[in-house]
Amino acid sequence: IDANGQIDLAGVPIGAKQGHDPQDRVRRQRLQCLEHGLSFTRWRGVPARAGGIVCRSSRHNKTRASRLTLKAIIQEGNGGPEVLKPGTAEDPVLGPGRVLIRVHATSVNRPDAVQRQGNYPPPPGESSILGLEAAGIVEAVSPDVGGFHRGERVFALLGGGGYAELAVAHAGHVMRMPPTLSFEQAACICETYLTAYMNLFLYARLD
């Protein structure tokens, strides 16, 4: 790849075995960087990894490292509980009409298990991290949202993201916690308790 961004394939041996020619390896690395939209930085002493991106961009890596700071339960594929692992993710984005919550407690619901199995995709635009409800402290509020302030104890119904340190909720799905409730109790109200209450008393009209 020259200074003008043009690809020079001259001299690249087609079908050559990997690792036999150092220059050939560098050419392959440059091509893979171009394919993945990354800049290329040559380095020494690091073997190429089969099946992965073999380029190193200090700019790109620093950007990703600074973003992946949110502790969360990450899903590695679909299946049973064993696919859930502690990890890091990008911080959620506080969009219009949203409240950012520092999560103190969350709950496990059937949709979480179904999504973990690959049968219940998250709604468009929502976090791919599991967790449909959470309780915690208001971390930030979108400028167009009134009625909530940083530091308030709240619980909320989420489109996803409850299995993380920070979660974003629609302001209309956020409620203040009564002082008598713990975070663990409040985290079970929106999806679990209110669903049961609605079915039993609003729909079935049981006394």
Side-chain angles (χ1 to χ4, degrees):
I1 305 175
D2 60 22
N4 297 320
Q6 300 298 314
I7 306 174
D8 180 13
L9 297 178
V12 178
I14 304 299
K17 295 182 179 180
Q18 294 186 6
H20 285 204
D21 182 359
Q23 290 302 316
D24 178 42
R25 183 182 125 183
V26 171
R27 294 188 188 100
R28 288 196 305 273
Q29 292 164 2
R30 289 182 182 275
L31 290 175
Q32 288 183 332
C33 285
L34 179 67
E35 179 183 354
H36 290 274
L38 310 178
S39 61
F40 173 80
T41 303
R42 184 175 181 178
W43 76 99
R44 297 179 180 179
V46 180
R49 297 181 180 179
I53 303 174
V54 295
C55 60
R56 292 291 176 88
S57 165
S58 56
R59 174 188 61 80
H60 177 76
N61 288 341
K62 286 180 180 178
T63 301
R64 289 190 60 84
S66 64
R67 290 166 125 187
L68 300 178
T69 58
L70 180 73
K71 292 181 181 179
I73 300 299
I74 304 301
Q75 183 175 338
E76 298 180 348
N78 298 322
E82 66 278 359
V83 303
L84 301 179
K85 309 287 184 183
T88 55
E90 294 185 7
D91 288 350
V93 177
L94 181 63
R98 304 297 201 276
V99 176
L100 181 65
I101 301 171
R102 183 162 294 278
V103 176
H104 284 231
T106 187
S107 66
V108 178
N109 293 284
R110 174 169 170 75
D112 297 328
V114 178
Q115 181 176 334
R116 187 196 67 223
Q117 296 164 355
N119 300 317
Y120 187 78
E126 298 291 352
S127 173
S128 60
I129 298 173
L130 299 180
L132 296 179
E133 55 186 337
I137 302 294
V138 173
E139 183 79 6
V141 179
S142 177
D144 62 340
V145 172
F148 292 104
H149 305 281
R150 179 182 171 89
E152 285 187 299
R153 294 177 6 125
V154 296
F155 59 98
L157 182 70
L158 308 172
Y163 290 15
E165 289 182 305
L166 293 172
V168 170
H170 292 265
H173 297 167
V174 181
M175 291 170 277
R176 290 184 183 84
M177 284 178 52
T180 55
L181 285 182
S182 68
F183 287 116
E184 291 78 9
Q185 291 170 326
C188 301
I189 291 179
C190 289
E191 179 72 14
T192 309
Y193 176 82
L194 291 182
T195 299
Y197 184 92
M198 177 180 65
N199 288 327
L200 291 174
F201 301 110
L202 299 184
Y203 291 164
R205 299 187 180 277
L206 297 178
D207 294 331

